[in-house]
Amino acid sequence: MSTLNRDLLDATTRQILNRASDLMRTQGRALLTPELALIALLRMSQATAARMVQHFAVQRGFVVADLEREADEQSRTRPGRSANFTYMTDQNVPAPLSDEMLVVLDEARAVALARGEIYIGSEDVLSALAQTGVNTAGMLQRRGVTAAAISALAEQGLVSKSTTTHDWVAAARKGALQPVYLREQLLQQLSMLLAHVNGRNVFLLGVKGVGRRSLVQGLAFAIAEGRGPRDIARIIEVSEAAWLDNPLLAMQVALRQAEGGALFIPNVQRFFGRAETQAMAQASRELQRAIVDGGAIVIGTTSEAEFNERIRPISAIADRIKLLSIPPASADECVGMLRVLDPQLERDYELVIQDEALVTAQQLAARYVGGEPLPAAAVQVLHRACALKRSGAATSPAPLIVDQDAVMQAVSALTGVPVNKLGADERAKYAQIDDALRQRVLGQDEAVRALARAVKSARVGLKDPKRPIGSFLFLGPSGVGKTELAKALAEFLFGSEDALVAIDMSEYQKDDTINRLIGAPPGYVGYEGGGQLTERILKSPYAVVVFDEVEKAHPRILDILLQVMEEGRLTDGQGRVANFAETVLILTSNLGAQFLNDGALELVQANDLAMVDVRGFFRPEFLNRLDDIVMFRPLSPEVLRRVLDLMIVKEAKLAAARGIALQITPIAREWLLAQNNEPHMGARPLRRILQRNVREKLADFLLDQAAPPAQVVVDVAAGVLVFR
């Protein structure tokens, strides 16, 4: 005896058959018949079919209980014949089906498929009972419950019904499709590609969040208004739940529904290459056969990397597909999209969004929010701003307002950038950049000036908008402030040293290390993890990137850096584009350090000799992409004294956080400076000296005290440091 495939039934229909099985056993019957199914259906008041019968009862003046009583009488007098099919209940109890019941279920599936569903719903069972059930058809039809009446009731929308597919064009005509911003140029290109007489399948290439789906929805509006491509009357999309539950049936239904129109499949690459399940493999074959045979017009979305890996190698498919690249939205397009979305957000969150907030959301999202392109990043910011405003609202009759401040709070929450940095007056801020950097980087005024010039020029718009804010090569001996200047710049620009991306290029000396930097291509180990550089910039495109000891990197790595400096973008292994237009690139090198560290050489002479080293190592095209080559000189004794003072301030802050006022006398400071027997190493030895002689010995001193002191003075006695 065969078993009925339960995957063909929706949850409600399974419950109906479960209850019919219970009735069968209660009555001592051997078979599950249509009459038992009708009784179980009528007793499930929440089922769509039961609500339909109630509607007909009111409209046509009959009593549902009388219908149930008649079905019960027929059930007891007509045993039925076995169909050699069994239904397994949710409790794995077998219920043999009568041949009439099997015919009813077969008809119900045909009804479901005809209305574009892959599952048999309760309304499909009711329609089949009214058509093919030997006794149930008569009972129902005498009361005006016919298949035609059931279909008409469903079309009127008086009762809800399950949906596997959605026709966007029909929804647009009814006003049920969410409005979208029309990118007219892209819409014209898509319409033109779909107007071809052959190979009318179009795959939209782009990363998630650039608006591929919205473009197809815009096409649906155009078709509804009579402006679409010829012979496309509908655009069908399958629900993701249907793809997950039964991809084969979903594909069969979708292709049937899309006749005379187009089938929209997001993430279409999942139907190419290795399938995870047999049903998925069968669905893939159905789709590919339809594309090759011309049995469907398919509009799919995928990324360039996924297309190249999974679809392009199948020449029979690739030859029948036209490609349309979808770039991220421009600033104006993004604001337009937010304005279209505005009414929906105001309804959903019950607040008012100022127009200035939309512009600010676009600007700050483009500048600070990584991981998603425009418009997705700006939409994310706006949702966060609305959610924060709603969650923090007190009970008040006054309307909630999302303004620029609310957007800045949202961006701060998403990125960690302090709000005061986001809202600072940019003109006044950048006018003071030289002074701000000099407070942390001592003795390198020339380097500070060079860096400040480039940053100020970029901020007032005097730079190529595609290239990074600036690309610099920092030359000089160790410990003279190269990394410290990069940290100071990160804090000045972005409010935190965490905006510094430091990459040690000594780890990239081999050819195969390039995957660690930009991510492995699809199919290779580590593909999902992304690259050390690209992943960070995708998440936070507003950063200072330091490539330390760049001369140690493999030549292929230098070629990548050349591309970043010139084009301001880098494609990772997954095909995502990291944008470096809002980054500062700093390359550090010890090339020429021996000359810059030679106190016997004049400044100009030392610089010239250092440049000889640099030009002998880097190719001219690489050097030409740099905005400046910044020379760092050794630190003078006076500068080292000031650097020590800055370090002592940090130590005092650490002690103050523990309730101790730390004071280091001038004599103790001179003693610490005298311990530096490596002045050519710059400021780094001073940090070690302070660690060993102050921090570690202070810890020992505090452990010896009966109670923590309020103040500790570090002084010199008999040639050694003392603590009191």
Side-chain angles (χ1 to χ4, degrees):
M1 183 173 287
S2 302
T3 302
L4 181 70
N5 183 2
R6 285 165 47 90
D7 292 340
L8 299 175
L9 315 175
D10 71 5
T12 303
T13 303
R14 288 199 297 270
Q15 290 181 30
I16 290 172
L17 294 187
N18 289 340
R19 293 191 179 191
S21 301
D22 293 339
L23 287 171
M24 179 193 74
R25 287 188 294 275
T26 301
Q27 295 182 9
R29 307 302 301 273
L31 299 173
L32 195 161
T33 62
E35 292 84 0
L36 292 173
L38 178 58
I39 295 170
L41 182 153
L42 295 174
R43 292 179 180 178
M44 281 194 63
S45 58
Q46 74 274 23
T48 300
R51 287 185 283 116
M52 284 182 163
V53 175
Q54 289 286 355
H55 176 85
F56 288 128
V58 173
Q59 188 181 61
R60 291 170 168 80
F62 65 86
V63 178
V64 175
D66 292 342
L67 174 59
E68 182 181 330
R69 189 178 305 108
E70 184 178 354
D72 182 62
E73 292 172 356
Q74 292 291 332
S75 169
R76 295 177 186 277
T77 59
R78 295 184 58 87
R81 292 179 301 177
S82 174
N84 292 320
F85 261 85
T86 297
Y87 170 74
M88 296 297 294
T89 69
D90 290 347
Q91 291 74 35
N92 287 323
V93 178
L97 301 177
S98 71
D99 56 355
E100 286 186 6
M101 189 65 217
L102 186 62
V103 171
V104 166
L105 290 174
D106 187 59
E107 175 64 22
R109 189 189 180 201
V111 173
L113 291 174
R115 67 183 183 90
E117 303 299 332
I118 65 174
Y119 305 113
I120 299 173
S122 65
E123 61 269 41
D124 304 316
V125 174
L126 179 63
S127 181
L129 289 170
Q131 289 185 78
T132 59
V134 173
N135 290 313
T136 56
M139 286 184 277
L140 291 168
Q141 290 177 14
R142 283 197 303 274
R143 292 170 171 84
V145 183
T146 65
I150 294 168
S151 177
L153 184 60
E155 289 299 322
Q156 292 171 25
L158 299 179
V159 294
S160 61
K161 61 177 183 176
S162 59
T163 53
T164 297
T165 60
H166 310 272
D167 181 359
W168 284 358
V169 176
R173 291 193 177 108
K174 295 176 182 178
L177 189 62
Q178 180 66 33
V180 295
Y181 177 90
L182 297 182
R183 301 172 75 175
E184 290 291 351
Q185 186 174 4
L186 286 173
L187 187 58
Q188 290 175 8
Q189 294 179 41
L190 176 58
S191 298
M192 180 191 68
L193 294 175
L194 290 169
H196 286 229
V197 294
N198 62 341
R200 298 174 69 184
N201 309 291
V202 180
F203 285 5
L204 309 179
L205 301 186
V207 297
K208 179 183 177 182
V210 296
R212 299 169 302 182
R213 182 185 184 87
S214 296
L215 179 63
V216 183
Q217 289 180 327
L219 177 66
F221 278 106
I223 294 172
E225 296 167 3
R227 300 187 294 113
R230 65 181 184 86
D231 300 336
I232 297 182
R234 62 184 64 87
I235 297 177
I236 301 298
E237 184 192 23
V238 178
S239 69
E240 284 300 316
W243 286 133
L244 291 172
D245 288 344
N246 198 321
L248 175 58
L249 282 174
M251 184 64 73
Q252 291 171 340
V253 169
L255 291 172
R256 186 181 299 110
Q257 288 287 306
E259 292 178 1
L263 173 59
F264 173 65
I265 303 181
N267 301 314
V268 71
Q269 72 277 355
R270 58 184 146 168
F271 294 103
F272 299 88
R274 180 177 297 179
E276 296 180 358
T277 65
Q278 182 180 0
M280 195 66 174
Q282 293 172 327
S284 300
R285 285 194 291 272
E286 292 275 348
L287 175 62
Q288 294 181 36
R289 186 183 300 115
I291 291 175
V292 171
D293 295 343
I297 297 175
V298 178
I299 304 174
T301 69
T302 186
S303 68
E304 184 175 359
E306 293 283 8
F307 179 83
N308 290 334
E309 181 202 1
R310 306 185 67 169
I311 303 174
R312 191 182 293 279
I314 311 174
S315 58
I317 299 295
D319 291 346
R320 290 166 172 80
I321 292 171
K322 294 176 175 59
L323 304 178
L324 178 59
S325 294
I326 310 300
S330 67
D332 290 342
E333 286 175 335
C334 182
V335 173
M337 293 171 182
L338 295 181
R339 288 190 175 118
V340 171
L341 183 63
D342 185 316
Q344 179 185 345
L345 290 177
E346 291 186 334
R347 286 194 306 270
D348 292 345
Y349 290 99
E350 297 180 342
L351 40 69
V352 176
I353 303 174
Q354 293 182 347
D355 194 68
E356 294 81 0
L358 305 179
V359 178
T360 302
Q362 179 277 317
Q363 293 172 341
L364 296 184
R367 193 169 187 179
Y368 291 99
V369 180
E372 287 188 293
L374 293 178
V379 172
Q380 182 186 15
V381 165
L382 212 51
H383 270 286
R384 178 62 66 92
C386 292
L388 287 174
K389 180 65 72 171
R390 170 53 57 192
S391 63
T395 303
S396 171
L400 296 176
I401 305 295
V402 173
D403 53 14
Q404 291 176 307
D405 288 340
V407 171
M408 286 191 288
Q409 292 283 354
V411 174
S412 181
L414 286 168
T415 65
V417 178
V419 175
N420 64 320
K421 295 292 182 179
L422 295 172
D425 183 344
E426 296 254 318
R427 185 181 299 275
K429 173 182 174 181
Y430 286 98
Q432 305 298 322
I433 183 173
D434 301 67
D435 294 337
L437 297 180
R438 284 196 191 94
Q439 289 178 10
R440 286 189 54 174
V441 182
L442 306 177
Q444 303 293 354
D445 290 355
E446 181 186 355
V448 168
R449 279 195 298 270
L451 190 60
R453 279 197 305 269
V455 172
K456 285 190 283 189
S457 296
R459 285 275 61 89
V460 297
L462 299 179
K463 83 170 187 75
D464 187 333
K466 294 182 179 180
R467 297 184 66 189
I469 293 172
S471 301
F472 303 93
L473 177 60
F474 285 5
L475 299 179
S478 178
V480 296
K482 299 191 295 293
T483 302
E484 185 67 16
L485 182 54
K487 290 180 179 179
L489 181 63
E491 184 175 30
F492 175 84
L493 290 177
F494 317 124
S496 171
E497 288 185 12
D498 292 338
L500 180 74
V501 181
I503 298 178
D504 185 354
M505 302 309 285
S506 64
E507 299 177 3
Y508 295 89
Q509 299 185 42
K510 296 182 179 180
D511 180 47
D512 58 359
T513 56
I514 189 171
N515 288 345
R516 289 175 53 200
L517 197 67
I518 65 173
Y524 285 78
V525 176
Y527 161 64
E528 299 85 357
Q532 184 180 1
L533 174 61
T534 50
E535 195 70 18
R536 178 66 185 270
I537 300 304
L538 282 167
K539 292 179 180 177
S540 181
Y542 212 56
V544 173
V545 187
V546 175
F547 300 96
D548 202 20
E549 296 186 286
V550 67
E551 75 276 6
K552 295 182 179 179
H554 189 276
R556 283 190 65 199
I557 303 292
L558 297 182
D559 289 340
I560 287 178
L561 296 185
L562 189 149
Q563 174 190 339
V564 172
M565 290 188 290
E566 176 63 21
E567 301 176 7
R569 49 192 282 135
L570 187 60
T571 304
D572 73 354
Q574 301 180 38
R576 300 174 299 175
V577 178
N579 186 358
F580 288 79
E582 294 290 350
T583 65
V584 176
L585 305 183
I586 295 176
L587 293 65
T588 73
S589 174
N590 291 326
L591 291 172
Q594 70 273 24
F595 304 113
L596 298 172
N597 207 26
D598 190 343
L601 294 174
E602 294 291 334
L603 179 62
V604 174
Q605 185 182 10
N607 289 354
D608 289 344
L609 290 173
M611 284 303 301
V612 171
D613 262 9
V614 171
R615 292 194 179 99
F617 184 87
F618 293 109
R619 303 198 310 268
E621 59 267 31
F622 185 89
L623 296 176
N624 288 339
R625 299 307 192 281
L626 295 168
D627 291 294
D628 207 346
I629 297 176
V630 182
M631 307 291 189
F632 285 72
R633 299 290 290 179
L635 302 181
S636 67
E638 177 56 31
V639 170
L640 287 174
R641 179 175 284 104
R642 292 163 58 199
V643 169
L644 179 64
D645 289 341
L646 288 179
M647 292 180 178
I648 288 174
V649 169
K650 291 184 179 180
E651 291 295 317
K653 287 182 179 179
L654 287 174
R658 287 154 181 79
I660 300 171
L662 178 64
Q663 178 184 347
I664 301 180
T665 66
I667 296 176
R669 295 173 188 242
E670 292 298 326
W671 185 93
L672 291 169
L673 285 171
Q675 307 309 305
N676 184 9
N677 54 13
E678 298 176 302
H680 60 283
M681 295 297 293
R684 286 200 176 96
L686 294 179
R687 185 174 290 110
R688 293 193 294 270
I689 291 169
L690 206 58
Q691 168 81 21
R692 285 196 306 267
N693 294 283
V694 175
R695 187 180 298 179
E696 294 176 3
K697 292 183 179 180
L698 175 60
D700 293 336
F701 173 76
L702 293 175
L703 290 172
D704 290 337
Q705 306 301 305
Q711 182 181 28
V712 174
V713 177
V714 183
D715 205 349
V716 177
V720 296
L721 286 185
V722 294
F723 295 78
R724 65 176 185 269

